[in-house]
Amino acid sequence: MTAGVMTKRAKRTVGVWGAAVVGALVLVGCSAQADEAPADANPRKPKPSATARPTPPPDPAALKGVHVNVAEGQTVGVGMPISLTFDHPVPAAERAAVERRLRVTADPGTTGSWSWVKDRNLYDGGRVDYRPREPWKPGTRVTVHVGSQTVRHFSVGRSLVATVDVRTHTMTVVKDGTTRRVPITAGRPGLDTWNGTMVVMDKQQKVLMDSRTVNISDSYRGWYRYAVHLTTSGTYLHENPNANIYAGRGNVTHGCVGLATDGTARRFYEEVIPGDIVKVVGSKETVAPGNGYGDWNVDWSRWQAGSAL
């Protein structure tokens, strides 16, 4: 996006002439000559040129109701996308104009792209995400400009990637190169845990879970501790008393990933931050991009194709 710059210059050239007749022709061969003022007499400094500041184009109307998922100064995990949601869906014809008013800079530099994502809870055109081609490098500092009014600065912390294998009932946690294995229980047959890559959205020490809100016929309702939120459809990785018996042995949950109450769940809860990656392998249906931050389940060429530019 470019803006024209108009420059006004006031130019004025002042010539100085002075002539004084000091004598008249009174004798043959004698003449009187006019004295000429030197060129640098009474110099006048030119006025500095006046340069008009460029006026940025107005923000698209959609940016007046935009929400940014990352808070100012936040530290996030290596998988965190930048996700913008809008109060009203952005028509396809207006999306390129919105993208032109979005800018992401990273130190160190990162290859990334915006892509319009169909959010599970929003109409089409209600959300656009930015992610790098590969997960962020730990220590990256990121600045996001959303139009002319909104700026966010955030940083990427240490790397943590947890891989849940529903077949072996284990979770492998790799944190800054250090690996440990944790027994888990996942979704039972028919209520399988989502397959694919998810990103930690947030976490809470205690969450009330009610199966009726996600249309599970085998109803349950209760408080669960050390809850790490993975999808908007209600997938959590949390403490579950059933894991005391079945972790490492079988899958018995309603779709969440359960950890034992012996401190296992608490330890994972305390070390995880929003933006950390949780991969589930060996399950069935892959989580959709707009069900939480499922952006990493889209390959790079298709991700780029989701941009309006």
Side-chain angles (χ1 to χ4, degrees):
M1 180 172 44
T2 58
V5 178
M6 296 185 64
T7 304
K8 295 180 180 179
R9 291 186 177 176
K11 279 189 175 181
R12 184 169 59 183
T13 304
V14 179
V16 180
W17 295 273
V21 179
V22 296
L25 297 179
V26 293
L27 295 174
V28 176
C30 292
S31 64
Q33 188 174 7
D35 290 333
E36 195 170 286
D40 59 351
N42 300 319
R44 295 187 181 182
K45 294 182 179 179
K47 291 183 179 180
S49 59
T51 303
R53 290 187 176 182
T55 301
D59 289 342
L63 294 183
K64 295 180 180 178
V66 67
H67 307 274
V68 186
N69 68 321
V70 181
E72 175 65 20
Q74 187 176 4
T75 298
V76 301
V78 296
M80 180 64 85
I82 301 163
S83 186
L84 309 183
T85 53
F86 304 91
D87 285 343
H88 303 285
V90 180
E94 299 176 15
R95 294 175 192 175
V98 169
E99 280 190 60
R100 291 190 184 99
R101 299 293 287 150
L102 308 177
R103 183 162 56 92
V104 177
T105 57
D107 180 18
T110 302
T111 298
S113 174
W114 292 97
S115 192
W116 292 83
V117 174
K118 175 60 182 74
D119 188 276
R120 187 176 188 273
N121 293 333
L122 299 174
Y123 291 108
D124 185 46
R127 171 178 162 186
V128 64
D129 285 8
Y130 177 99
R131 72 164 176 87
R133 183 169 186 169
E134 303 293 339
W136 303 100
K137 293 180 180 179
T140 299
R141 296 183 298 276
V142 184
T143 301
V144 187
H145 291 267
V146 181
S148 59
Q149 301 297 322
T150 304
V151 181
R152 292 285 189 277
H153 304 85
F154 67 91
S155 59
V156 181
R158 81 290 174 273
S159 173
L160 187 150
V161 178
T163 302
V164 174
D165 190 329
V166 302
R167 297 162 299 190
T168 61
H169 322 296
T170 60
M171 177 172 68
T172 302
V173 181
V174 180
K175 180 181 176 182
D176 278 341
T178 300
T179 301
R180 77 175 192 277
R181 287 177 173 80
V182 180
I184 61 94
T185 179
R188 69 178 186 240
L191 292 173
D192 305 86
T193 302
W194 289 111
N195 208 57
T197 300
M198 291 165 270
V199 173
V200 174
M201 301 169 65
D202 53 64
K203 63 180 184 178
Q204 294 175 267
Q205 282 202 348
K206 189 167 64 172
V207 171
L208 177 64
M209 297 187 181
D210 188 339
S211 65
R212 293 170 297 180
T213 63
V214 288
N215 300 317
I216 294 177
S217 58
D218 181 12
S219 63
Y220 66 92
R221 186 176 187 274
W223 291 93
Y224 289 86
R225 301 178 67 191
Y226 306 122
V228 177
H229 195 187
L230 300 178
T231 71
T232 51
S233 63
T235 306
Y236 283 81
L237 197 159
H238 62 84
E239 184 179 81
N240 187 333
N242 288 325
N244 297 340
I245 300 171
Y246 292 101
R249 298 175 52 197
N251 296 323
V252 298
T253 77
H254 291 78
C256 291
V257 178
L259 301 179
T261 64
D262 59 359
T264 301
R266 180 174 181 173
R267 177 181 177 183
F268 184 75
Y269 174 88
E270 290 179 345
E271 68 183 339
V272 77
I273 61 175
D276 284 340
I277 293 174
V278 176
K279 296 180 180 179
V280 176
V281 299
S283 193
K284 295 182 178 180
E285 191 173 352
T286 300
V287 65
N291 188 3
Y293 301 137
D295 300 3
W296 296 102
N297 297 298
V298 181
D299 65 52
W300 182 242
S301 60
R302 286 197 302 129
W303 182 261
Q304 289 181 300
S307 169
L309 296 179

